[in-house]
Amino acid sequence: MWAVHATASWLIRPLHFRSTSSTIAPLLSPVRKSLHLQPFRRAAAMDRTQTTGGSSSPGHVAGEWYSVPDLRLRDHRFTVPLDYSDGHPTSPSIFVFAREVVAVGKEEQPLPYLLYLQGGPGFECPRPTEASGWLGKACEESRVILMDQACQFGFTFLYILLHMSFLVKLSCTMHPILAFFVQRGTGLSTPLTTLSMSQLKSAEDLADYLKHFRADNIVKDAEFIRKRLVPEAGPWAVLGQSFGGFCAVTYLSFAPQGLKQVFLTGGIPPIGDACTADAVYRACLEPIVRQNEKFYKRFPEDIEIVRDVVNHLAQSEGGGVPLPSGGILTPRGLQMLGLSGLGASTGFERLHYMFERVWDPVMVPGRQKRISYYFLNAFEKWLAFDTNPLYAILHESIYCQGASSRWSAHRIMAESESKFDAIKAAKEGHPVLFTGEMIFPWMFDEIHSLRPFKEAADILAKKEDWPPLYDTATLNNNKVPVAAAVYYEDMFVNFKLATETASMIAGIRLWITNEYMHSGLRDGAGHVLDHLMGMVNGKKPLF
């Protein structure tokens, strides 16, 4: 069946690691007003689908052009309904932020539009600081629209939010290759931060609010913006990285008329019915074990270091040591470092260097050694749940259609409990295995920033009436050109599940490679995007 619908560009390349900074340190702006803003005037706003060519109109405010090296940028803010369903004509409104990016001198040129959808869920887009990487490549021929999803720190900017009665000052240093559309709930798109979410009165209210922040509504936001931004409301191309690719496949399912081309990088989702998280976690266990083996082969001295840390944590009062923010680091919490350490370029090296400074020096003979503040602080910053709690709260729901997740990762990991039991491994002298992209219910006890959302997260984990995210029949009859980079050793998006889904998307072309890991779009400069564009534009052979 796969051969019928997908033409595979089978290119298995030698494994190659590219050195680049991958620190994710998002900083979200606080929201003073309640998340439940004024009712959305559907009749007044939804009917205004005439294009503006970038100028302001009701529900859309466009800023002035400004510059970073070799690029010109313009900010856009859109007022959209929280709930697009017909049964909610007075839905509260939220703001969605998008950044328009072009090469210098091309501001007024009639360039084709390319929408970038960032990974996550729950991360805003990085901010561009120069024309490099995939963004530089994209801006050679396109007008790039970036919707928020993952922030790094750099230049300082001041935004006047015209629809809010306050100023937001945000200092951000972003990776130089990025510029984006701010997905709802992140960055400058009515951000769902620890403080802003606490304004809702109950866990039930919060869970009811958060159910509107999945791929289906992200696509509706994108369509809302396309009709107001693209001249004549024409179709645009979409580049989806990781979870952004999941959103792009949802886009293909329910609004293909808005799409000219689709590029997926490490972002082909499982599209079966019910909760596919179970299948994802079962499929990912073997690659996680394999990445652990590779890590310890690269840094064999870390086997004993990690075991010592686990024993120290297990023997500490309360089963762990306090974290700077007020949480607790336990052996199972330590294993979460595999989330970033095992699945992305330079992750092995960064994980090794963290453990290189795990112990404070013993200055007085006989004193007990202690885990360093450096290590504890680095642990919290690496996971970044304090600034992006939405990732933990909504992660498993991205797989749900008409069924609950029931804490899928927790249940599936229990099937391999002996293999991932850190305390047992340390006592028996075996390597302690790190886990991958998994969210567990106990994290809402041990991570300080997640504690306020424990009850809401549990409500969402038990929610069964999740709407569909994909339409298999539409995908089987897809007419939109689609090219996808499928990373053979991707720890986050399983290769087998990705190729199974690809067999259901008519006309998709696959570039299968092990040259890159999940972060290939970022690590490969402009090569990955250039390759995918060539596949749909006739510059690469069909076979």
Side-chain angles (χ1 to χ4, degrees):
M1 184 176 181
W2 183 86
V4 173
H5 292 297
T7 301
S9 179
W10 286 86
L11 182 55
I12 307 295
R13 297 186 174 217
L15 184 64
H16 179 66
F17 293 92
R18 297 175 184 267
S19 177
T20 183
S21 171
S22 59
T23 302
I24 301 295
L27 181 64
L28 302 181
S29 55
V31 178
R32 292 185 182 175
K33 292 187 177 180
S34 169
L35 292 176
H36 289 284
L37 302 174
Q38 71 276 12
F40 187 82
R41 309 301 185 201
R42 185 173 302 276
M46 291 295 284
D47 292 340
R48 290 189 178 94
T49 58
Q50 72 269 22
T51 60
T52 65
S55 62
S56 300
S57 67
H60 170 207
V61 175
E64 299 294 329
W65 288 104
Y66 56 97
S67 300
V68 300
D70 298 319
L71 295 175
R72 294 282 283 166
L73 302 88
R74 177 164 57 178
D75 299 344
H76 299 266
R77 294 173 183 83
F78 300 86
T79 306
V80 304
L82 173 69
D83 185 354
Y84 282 92
S85 62
D86 292 335
H88 295 80
T90 58
S91 170
S93 62
I94 60 175
F95 298 98
V96 172
F97 173 84
R99 178 168 282 119
E100 180 180 2
V101 186
V102 297
V104 169
K106 295 185 177 183
E107 296 91 329
E108 304 304 323
Q109 292 186 17
L111 301 169
Y113 280 71
L114 173 66
L115 171 68
Y116 176 80
L117 295 175
Q118 165 77 4
F123 286 93
E124 67 278 8
C125 280
R127 271 60 174 173
T129 57
E130 62 182 1
S132 61
W134 73 261
L135 181 60
K137 177 62 184 177
C139 286
E140 290 177 4
E141 300 177 358
S142 302
R143 185 178 299 273
V144 180
I145 304 298
L146 310 166
M147 289 174 67
D148 253 345
Q149 243 192 333
C151 177
Q152 293 176 308
F153 287 31
F155 56 90
T156 302
F157 54 95
L158 185 65
Y159 288 106
I160 302 178
L161 300 184
L162 299 180
H163 291 286
M164 298 182 179
S165 60
F166 60 92
L167 298 179
V168 175
K169 187 174 183 180
L170 178 63
S171 294
C172 257
T173 306
M174 310 308 290
H175 197 285
I177 67 170
L178 301 174
F180 316 40
F181 155 80
V182 179
Q183 296 181 15
R184 54 168 50 197
T186 68
L188 294 176
S189 295
T190 310
L192 294 174
T193 66
T194 300
L195 289 177
S196 67
M197 285 191 287
S198 68
Q199 297 170 32
L200 294 172
K201 295 181 179 179
S202 68
E204 290 77 12
D205 287 344
L206 179 57
D208 187 62
Y209 194 89
L210 293 178
K211 71 183 183 183
H212 301 293
F213 287 79
R214 300 198 310 157
D216 48 354
N217 282 306
I218 291 172
V219 168
K220 290 172 184 175
D221 289 341
E223 276 293 273
F224 185 99
I225 291 172
R226 179 185 65 83
K227 293 174 182 179
R228 287 153 180 78
L229 204 59
V230 180
E232 306 303 324
W236 56 11
V238 170
L239 168 61
Q241 159 65 17
S242 190
F243 172 68
F246 288 24
C247 296
V249 176
T250 300
Y251 213 148
L252 280 170
S253 296
F254 298 115
Q257 70 280 0
L259 299 172
K260 180 187 294 184
Q261 297 172 330
V262 171
F263 308 105
L264 308 175
T265 57
I268 301 181
I271 63 174
D273 294 332
C275 176
T276 55
D278 286 11
V280 168
Y281 296 136
R282 285 196 179 97
C284 286
L285 287 179
E286 183 180 343
I288 291 171
V289 172
R290 188 161 57 245
Q291 289 301 103
N292 274 277
E293 292 171 347
K294 290 179 183 178
F295 172 72
Y296 285 126
K297 188 173 182 180
R298 289 270 304 280
F299 302 104
E301 66 271 31
D302 287 351
I303 296 176
E304 185 175 352
I305 293 174
V306 176
R307 281 201 301 249
D308 287 346
V309 175
V310 168
N311 286 327
H312 177 85
L313 294 172
Q315 295 164 11
S316 298
E317 183 178 356
V321 300
L323 288 163
S325 68
I328 183 172
L329 176 60
T330 64
R332 61 189 179 183
L334 184 77
Q335 291 174 281
M336 290 193 302
L337 287 173
L339 173 60
S340 295
L342 299 183
S345 170
T346 74
F348 283 12
E349 294 83 355
R350 293 176 59 219
L351 187 59
H352 168 70
Y353 294 137
M354 276 184 66
F355 279 101
E356 197 175 55
R357 295 184 58 183
V358 67
W359 301 112
D360 262 338
V362 176
M363 307 296 289
V364 178
R367 289 292 180 92
Q368 183 182 9
K369 64 180 180 180
R370 301 175 59 179
I371 295 178
S372 68
Y373 176 84
Y374 168 87
F375 183 87
L376 298 174
N377 185 53
F379 171 85
E380 292 196 302
K381 286 187 174 181
W382 203 350
L383 297 181
F385 290 122
D386 57 338
T387 52
N388 295 82
L390 199 61
Y391 173 81
I393 300 170
L394 286 181
H395 180 71
E396 288 196 348
S397 74
I398 69 174
Y399 297 110
C400 294
Q401 301 182 93
S404 61
S405 72
R406 297 182 297 117
W407 294 112
S408 178
H410 190 65
R411 291 185 291 101
I412 301 306
M413 286 294 290
E415 298 174 3
S416 302
E417 183 176 1
S418 60
K419 187 177 295 185
F420 286 89
D421 187 328
I423 297 176
K424 180 181 178 183
K427 286 182 177 179
E428 296 179 355
H430 301 305
V432 174
L433 300 185
F434 297 98
T435 54
E437 189 177 31
M438 299 171 178
I439 300 298
F440 305 100
W442 50 260
M443 293 167 56
F444 293 82
D445 293 312
E446 297 182 6
I447 298 175
H448 178 74
S449 60
L450 297 181
R451 287 173 181 169
F453 313 118
K454 178 179 179 179
E455 189 177 350
D458 193 57
I459 292 172
L460 292 171
K462 295 174 181 176
K463 178 178 170 61
E464 296 183 352
D465 58 342
W466 291 107
L469 293 171
Y470 312 104
D471 186 316
T472 304
T474 300
L475 295 174
N476 286 165
N477 294 285
N478 172 60
K479 305 298 182 185
V480 179
V482 182
V486 181
Y487 306 125
Y488 189 74
E489 297 180 314
D490 195 327
M491 193 183 79
F492 299 98
V493 177
N494 181 262
F495 174 77
K496 180 176 181 293
L497 296 179
T499 52
E500 286 177 356
T501 295
S503 71
M504 304 178 200
I505 304 176
I508 190 173
R509 296 196 60 205
L510 302 183
W511 173 37
I512 298 174
T513 175
N514 70 348
E515 181 178 358
Y516 301 105
M517 300 178 75
H518 188 70
S519 53
L521 181 65
R522 182 193 66 213
D523 303 332
H527 176 64
V528 171
L529 179 58
D530 182 57
H531 193 100
L532 296 181
M533 285 181 165
M535 292 171 71
V536 300
N537 294 333
K539 296 181 180 179
K540 300 290 181 182
L542 290 176
F543 303 101

